[in-house]
Amino acid sequence: MYWMKQSRQENLIYLAVWVLLFAAPLLSLYVRTVSDANEVFDWSEVFLVWRMFVIYLLLFLVHNFLLAPLLIHAHRRVMYFSIVTMVMAAFIVYQCSTKPHFNAHMGHRPPPHMEQEMKDRPHPPFADKHDRREPRPREFRRQSPPPIVGERDILSIVVLLLMFGANLGIKGYFRSREDRKRLVELEHQNLEQQLEYLRYQINPHFFMNTLNNIHALVDIDPQKAQETIVELSRMMRFVLYEGDKKGVPLSKEMDFIRTYVKLMQLRYTDKVIITLDLPTEVPDRTLPPLLLISFVENAFKHGVSYLHESFIEIKATVEDDHLHFICRNSKAETPNKEKGGVGLANVRKRLNLLYDRAYSLRICDDADIYTVELNIPLT
């Protein structure tokens, strides 16, 4: 039911307004009796005003609980305006029917007791009977009938329209406020779903590369392959137990990158120079999990050449509760067409969802070097 959607605050506003309206004639009469000693507190005057207010109150209740929801909640404009028009017509008919009755003969004919008195008056002795005209009192001259809709009726209609309009305005305000609140909740849920999707999109690509490294070590150095599996289990534990959190300690994120780089180094020869400069002591701050690994993955994917010397430089510093991360790598002659990565576009999307405009990301794509600089606040 639409009337059940009416909030408590909205009902309190209506209650306060109507209490003030019904108290107004009492206060007005009380002030008059206090200021004027000849004035008598007459309850009949108050009841007369209240009787008019009751009619408006009934019309307000009908409009508030039955008619206004048709326009505000159901958006049935034709039905709403049609019913409101009929209600206004019925109100006009009621206003006209409650007027004092007007007698058409009262304009030129006196009341019966005065008519009999004029008949009993003596007539002039030499007046002809045809000239015996009854005097017509000045106060009973013919007057034009009053209009069907008077000033009082027009004022009542205007008051009713203003009341309906105010009711629509208040109800529309509370409906828009509920819509904004619902929109914020939906945006928050959508944000969580998008972040969850991006996190799980990162993990499969990372494990695919790591498993390929372990596969290459099985035949070359089984002992090192076993050690690598232990390192991978630690990383899987981090992803399973920390990857679904909103924030992880900065120290754990740094350890995760160290382990990842250590595993990736097993796959390449000395022609790939890997420089890792991460702080060993970091403040007790958090950042979103698996956020930096995307840039590191991208550097290994597109920055390693099997024919010529190549390099990867990874550096992170913490200043004033901000993490400054730099990842530079050489560019391979042949682009890596391997599928499965999330791409920097999705990383930027994730940053936008998490930090809005509170972060800075600069990507410099030169002819031989690819540089990524990220600055994010730590919580």
Side-chain angles (χ1 to χ4, degrees):
M1 295 294 291
Y2 293 120
W3 62 270
M4 296 180 65
K5 297 182 179 181
Q6 190 161 294
S7 64
R8 181 181 300 177
Q9 293 180 352
E10 183 180 354
N11 290 329
L12 289 177
I13 291 176
Y14 297 147
L15 179 61
V17 171
W18 283 107
V19 168
L20 290 176
L21 286 176
F22 276 89
L26 282 175
L27 295 176
S28 176
L29 188 58
Y30 173 76
V31 170
R32 294 207 313 266
T33 54
V34 171
S35 59
D36 189 359
N38 297 325
E39 188 73 25
V40 180
F41 194 93
D42 189 4
W43 278 98
S44 61
E45 180 180 345
V46 177
F47 291 147
L48 181 64
V49 178
W50 280 359
R51 187 180 67 177
M52 181 179 62
F53 282 179
V54 167
I55 298 174
Y56 284 112
L57 177 60
L58 293 177
L59 291 175
F60 170 80
L61 294 176
V62 172
H63 182 270
N64 181 66
F65 292 107
L66 299 179
L67 302 183
L70 293 176
L71 183 64
I72 300 299
H73 298 289
H75 304 288
R76 304 178 70 174
R77 297 178 178 84
V78 177
M79 178 178 292
Y80 169 79
F81 286 107
S82 300
I83 298 178
V84 167
T85 302
M86 290 187 291
V87 171
M88 297 295 298
F91 178 75
I92 294 174
V93 172
Y94 171 79
Q95 287 289 104
C96 296
S97 63
T98 55
K99 287 182 180 181
H101 295 285
F102 177 76
N103 191 348
H105 299 283
M106 290 294 292
H108 64 277
R109 187 172 181 180
H113 67 278
M114 296 188 66
E115 183 178 0
Q116 183 63 35
E117 182 181 351
M118 287 188 295
K119 287 183 179 180
D120 295 337
R121 290 179 182 176
H123 298 283
F126 301 101
D128 186 56
K129 66 177 180 178
H130 298 289
D131 296 332
R132 295 175 183 175
R133 299 176 182 177
E134 298 176 356
R136 180 178 298 173
R138 181 176 300 178
E139 60 272 19
F140 295 104
R141 292 178 181 176
R142 180 184 298 273
Q143 299 178 358
S144 58
I148 298 177
V149 179
E151 181 180 354
R152 169 176 169 269
D153 302 322
I154 295 176
L155 182 61
S156 301
I157 295 171
V158 171
V159 171
L160 186 63
L161 288 175
L162 292 176
M163 183 180 68
F164 286 172
N167 186 207
L168 288 177
I170 296 175
K171 194 173 290 292
Y173 166 76
F174 282 97
R175 173 61 188 271
S176 63
R177 192 181 67 169
E178 293 175 0
D179 291 342
R180 288 194 299 269
K181 183 178 178 181
R182 192 179 302 110
L183 180 61
V184 171
E185 294 177 355
L186 291 176
E187 289 178 349
H188 179 72
Q189 294 176 2
N190 187 39
L191 171 64
E192 294 294 333
Q193 292 175 357
Q194 292 187 52
L195 291 177
E196 192 72 18
Y197 170 74
L198 291 173
R199 279 199 294 263
Y200 284 108
Q201 196 179 16
I202 291 172
N203 300 342
H205 180 232
F206 161 72
F207 285 115
M208 180 182 64
N209 288 342
T210 307
L211 289 174
N212 287 338
N213 296 339
I214 296 175
H215 181 266
L217 288 174
V218 170
D219 297 330
I220 300 174
D221 192 344
Q223 182 65 27
K224 189 171 289 187
Q226 293 178 2
E227 296 176 359
T228 305
I229 292 175
V230 174
E231 296 291 339
L232 179 61
S233 66
R234 294 176 183 173
M235 299 176 71
M236 291 179 63
R237 188 179 297 111
F238 176 83
V239 173
L240 291 175
Y241 294 103
E242 306 291 341
D244 59 346
K245 296 181 179 179
K246 293 183 178 180
V248 295
L250 181 59
S251 58
K252 290 187 177 182
E253 188 74 14
M254 296 294 104
D255 292 338
F256 183 82
I257 295 177
R258 290 190 187 95
T259 305
Y260 176 82
V261 173
K262 181 179 179 181
L263 293 178
M264 295 299 290
Q265 282 179 320
L266 299 174
R267 186 176 180 182
Y268 304 109
T269 63
D270 295 336
K271 289 185 177 181
V272 181
I273 302 174
I274 301 176
T275 304
L276 184 63
D277 184 8
L278 301 179
T280 55
E281 295 183 2
V282 294
D284 187 14
R285 297 292 184 268
T286 62
L287 78 165
L290 304 174
L291 180 64
L292 305 177
I293 194 64
S294 303
F295 302 107
V296 179
E297 277 188 300
N298 188 73
F300 278 100
K301 181 179 179 180
H302 300 287
V304 174
S305 173
Y306 293 96
L307 301 177
H308 305 284
E309 290 185 357
S310 54
F311 71 92
I312 297 175
E313 296 178 358
I314 302 171
K315 182 179 180 180
T317 58
V318 179
E319 295 180 1
D320 299 330
D321 289 336
H322 278 73
L323 174 66
H324 187 61
F325 178 82
I326 301 177
C327 184
R328 299 173 67 247
N329 61 271
S330 58
K331 298 177 68 174
E333 298 82 0
T334 304
N336 193 340
K337 297 182 180 180
E338 180 184 0
K339 297 181 179 180
V342 298
L344 294 180
N346 283 343
V347 176
R348 189 185 295 273
K349 182 178 181 181
R350 187 183 181 196
L351 289 170
N352 289 332
L353 292 173
L354 289 169
Y355 297 102
D356 195 12
R357 298 181 180 180
Y359 80 98
S360 63
L361 176 63
R362 189 176 71 90
I363 299 177
C364 184
D365 190 1
D366 295 330
D368 300 326
I369 300 177
Y370 192 87
T371 305
V372 174
E373 294 186 18
L374 175 66
N375 195 319
I376 57 175
L378 299 174
T379 58

